[in-house]
Amino acid sequence: MKRVSQLTALALLCGLASFPSLSADMPHTLTLAQLQAQHGAVIDTRVSAFYNGWPQTLSASSGHEPAALNLSATWLSAMSDEQIGSWAKQHQLTTDTAIALYGSDAENQAVKARLEKAGYARVSRLSDALQVPDRLQRLPHFEQLVYPQWIHQLQQGKQVTAAPAGSWKVIEAAWGAPKFYLLSHIPGAGYIDTNEVESEPLWNKVSDDKLKALLAKHGIRHDTTVILYGRDVYAAARVAQIMLYAGVKDVRILDGGWKAWSDANLPVERGTPEKVKPAPDFGAPIPGQPQLMVDMEQARGMLHRQDASLVSIRSWPEFIGETSGYSYIKPKGEIAGARWGHAGSDATHMEDFHNPDGTMRSAADIAAMWKTWNILPEQHVAFYCGTGWRASETFMYARAMGWQNVAVYDGGWYEWSSHPQNPVSTGARGPETSR
């Protein structure tokens, strides 16, 4: 069953699947206007790349229907019945809610079956889905989160949406020696050890001079498009955020990381990276975007403001001081006045931001999660975690969502907690504590 679902997803992403009407098993249809009159819910059953804004073909419509939820059929094998029910409840769907699906016939049928098993009987098809381009919604910068088939087509020299303007590179990022990379990686991909962009004692980014040397070593100029991926998404995001700070204009990450490529059954290769011709010059001053990083004093100045948010991307146990989250960070607690931006179950997980397949959760879900803690798109927002990885992943998502004034507090909890004079909070608390 897993093999079949992967091949189906691959066909869809390559634009081979059409949008046919549903079979006799699902005869009832509604237009968007009819569904809205019933205060119903629209569900996009396609993969998240298409939901976010990538067109299924070069000439296809881009985006999703207004207020549509994303429940991809490709996630179903990773979701228990209880998780399906929790997803529906989280999105305020009741068993009386009218629901209309759109996607391919196979996708719709699969999602319909799971919803009906969970007790949702009023499930139909959205008859005018993707037919009115002007009403479709998308991530403002969906192109910053690429998907596997896009990379594959780019490598094959095919015409792609949002193609790089000039030269481009695919690079895997991870901590330490490339042990997994050597066994299997995206064909032609280079490799960056995160130790090249951050260093002890606090694992902050390296100096601008060292960053300049690193970029030259990997043949990267300010106008090189860099496409990063990792076995852990946040490793790639860490490198991506630092490259953007340096001044690389077009930096993208593979949404879902290496797992997305592997699940798509695309070609892989093994062995050491190809020798890279160094870039003689970056072509622009470094840093090109210094505002993408804030230091400890700037972070302190963002506390208790309505026009700014210093946002903790740490697990709840870390936020309330039950654990530091790291073997090498001894102090427990949180920056007093910081707002909780969610993360995951511990310091190495980011479930709160991920779909079941590891891709970015919908922008609407993330924005709603942040709004509860008064984290808003019009604010100056700086994300931090323990040492910068989780914060960087969130930064990349916010950037794709169109949030215009976002940064990373590079020092994070590690730096803040190493200065005893800095205010620290412990214990459970709510959004009111950060106002």
Side-chain angles (χ1 to χ4, degrees):
M1 287 298 293
K2 184 178 179 183
R3 176 70 177 175
V4 173
S5 65
Q6 289 173 346
L7 290 175
T8 301
L10 177 59
L12 286 164
L13 284 168
C14 290
L16 301 177
S18 60
F19 184 72
S21 60
L22 288 174
S23 66
D25 291 338
M26 195 174 173
H28 184 54
T29 64
L30 291 171
T31 65
L32 181 61
Q34 290 170 334
L35 185 71
Q36 290 173 335
Q38 298 181 39
H39 304 287
V42 185
I43 296 179
D44 188 328
T45 64
R46 303 174 300 165
V47 296
S48 59
F50 299 150
Y51 174 85
N52 287 340
W54 288 98
Q56 290 182 244
T57 64
L58 287 172
S59 59
S61 299
S62 169
H64 60 263
E65 292 293 341
L69 305 174
N70 190 202
L71 180 59
S72 173
T74 61
W75 305 343
L76 298 178
S77 62
M79 298 178 75
S80 67
D81 291 343
E82 182 180 7
Q83 287 173 318
I84 293 285
S86 295
W87 179 91
K89 184 177 180 180
Q90 175 199 343
H91 293 97
Q92 301 179 322
L93 303 183
T94 71
T95 53
D96 294 328
T97 302
I99 298 171
L101 312 177
Y102 69 93
S104 73
D105 183 32
E107 290 168 323
N108 289 340
Q109 291 290 1
V111 172
K112 176 178 183 285
R114 288 298 294 275
L115 288 173
E116 288 184 338
K117 185 179 180 183
Y120 298 86
R122 298 182 62 194
V123 183
S124 60
R125 178 177 65 87
L126 191 67
S127 61
D128 59 344
L130 308 179
Q131 295 178 17
V132 185
D134 290 345
R135 78 184 184 198
L136 300 181
Q137 301 172 342
R138 59 192 65 82
L139 280 181
H141 298 293
F142 66 85
E143 74 283 352
Q144 293 172 12
L145 300 174
V146 305
Y147 63 98
Q149 286 73 16
W150 183 88
I151 295 177
H152 184 55
Q153 292 170 354
L154 180 67
Q155 291 178 324
Q156 291 180 313
K158 295 182 179 179
Q159 188 176 359
V160 294
T161 301
S167 63
W168 52 270
K169 294 178 179 291
V170 178
I171 298 175
E172 178 171 331
W175 180 80
K179 53 184 178 180
F180 294 112
Y181 171 96
L182 292 174
L183 295 174
S184 187
H185 57 261
I186 294 177
Y191 183 83
I192 286 182
D193 177 357
T194 57
N195 287 313
E196 297 181 77
V197 299
E198 60 180 10
S199 63
E200 294 184 280
L202 297 175
W203 297 110
N204 288 178
K205 69 170 183 62
V206 296
S207 69
D208 293 342
D209 286 343
K210 288 183 178 179
L211 194 52
K212 183 176 182 179
L214 160 75
L215 295 168
K217 169 187 170 184
H218 289 278
I220 297 170
R221 289 174 41 86
H222 73 286
D223 53 0
T224 305
T225 294
V226 182
I227 303 155
L228 290 152
Y229 75 94
R231 312 286 157 158
D232 298 307
V233 175
Y234 49 37
R238 177 64 163 159
V239 176
Q241 203 273 338
I242 291 174
M243 283 188 179
L244 287 166
Y245 158 87
V248 182
K249 292 181 179 179
D250 186 8
V251 183
R252 315 188 193 190
I253 60 173
L254 172 57
D255 197 13
W258 169 254
K259 182 179 183 299
W261 186 273
S262 180
D263 286 350
N265 291 312
L266 289 169
V268 298
E269 67 180 16
R270 61 186 300 156
T272 57
E274 294 180 6
K275 190 171 183 179
V276 177
K277 181 180 179 181
D281 182 60
F282 185 66
I286 292 178
Q289 298 194 81
Q291 76 279 7
L292 301 186
M293 291 281 192
V294 301
D295 60 23
M296 187 168 66
E297 290 306 312
Q298 291 171 314
R300 186 181 290 111
M302 297 176 69
L303 296 170
H304 303 293
R305 286 170 49 185
Q306 291 304 306
D307 64 341
S309 281
L310 183 62
V311 181
S312 171
I313 305 298
R314 303 175 73 207
S315 67
W316 184 249
E318 290 173 272
F319 186 74
I320 65 175
E322 288 183 354
T323 176
S324 75
Y326 302 81
S327 61
Y328 53 87
I329 301 178
K330 300 306 178 185
K332 301 175 184 178
E334 194 57 272
I335 297 175
R339 296 177 174 130
W340 188 48
H342 287 256
S345 54
D346 57 36
T348 62
H349 290 85
M350 287 282 282
E351 300 101 328
D352 294 350
F353 290 93
H354 291 166
N355 293 319
D357 62 354
T359 55
M360 173 189 159
R361 190 174 170 186
S362 77
D365 281 359
I366 293 173
M369 187 168 65
W370 284 343
K371 187 176 181 180
T372 301
W373 278 79
N374 194 37
I375 303 163
L376 306 171
E378 62 269 20
Q379 296 172 336
H380 179 202
V381 177
F383 303 104
Y384 73 92
C385 52
T387 61
W389 287 36
R390 290 174 289 175
S392 294
E393 181 175 345
T394 311
F395 167 92
M396 294 301 290
Y397 294 156
R399 193 166 177 266
M401 290 163 61
W403 289 40
Q404 296 183 357
N405 197 2
V406 293
V408 166
Y409 166 35
D410 189 32
W413 174 245
Y414 200 2
E415 178 184 58
W416 188 272
S417 63
S418 68
H419 293 264
Q421 74 274 21
N422 284 334
V424 170
S425 294
T426 57
R429 57 199 178 278
E432 69 284 349
T433 63
S434 63
R435 295 192 184 281

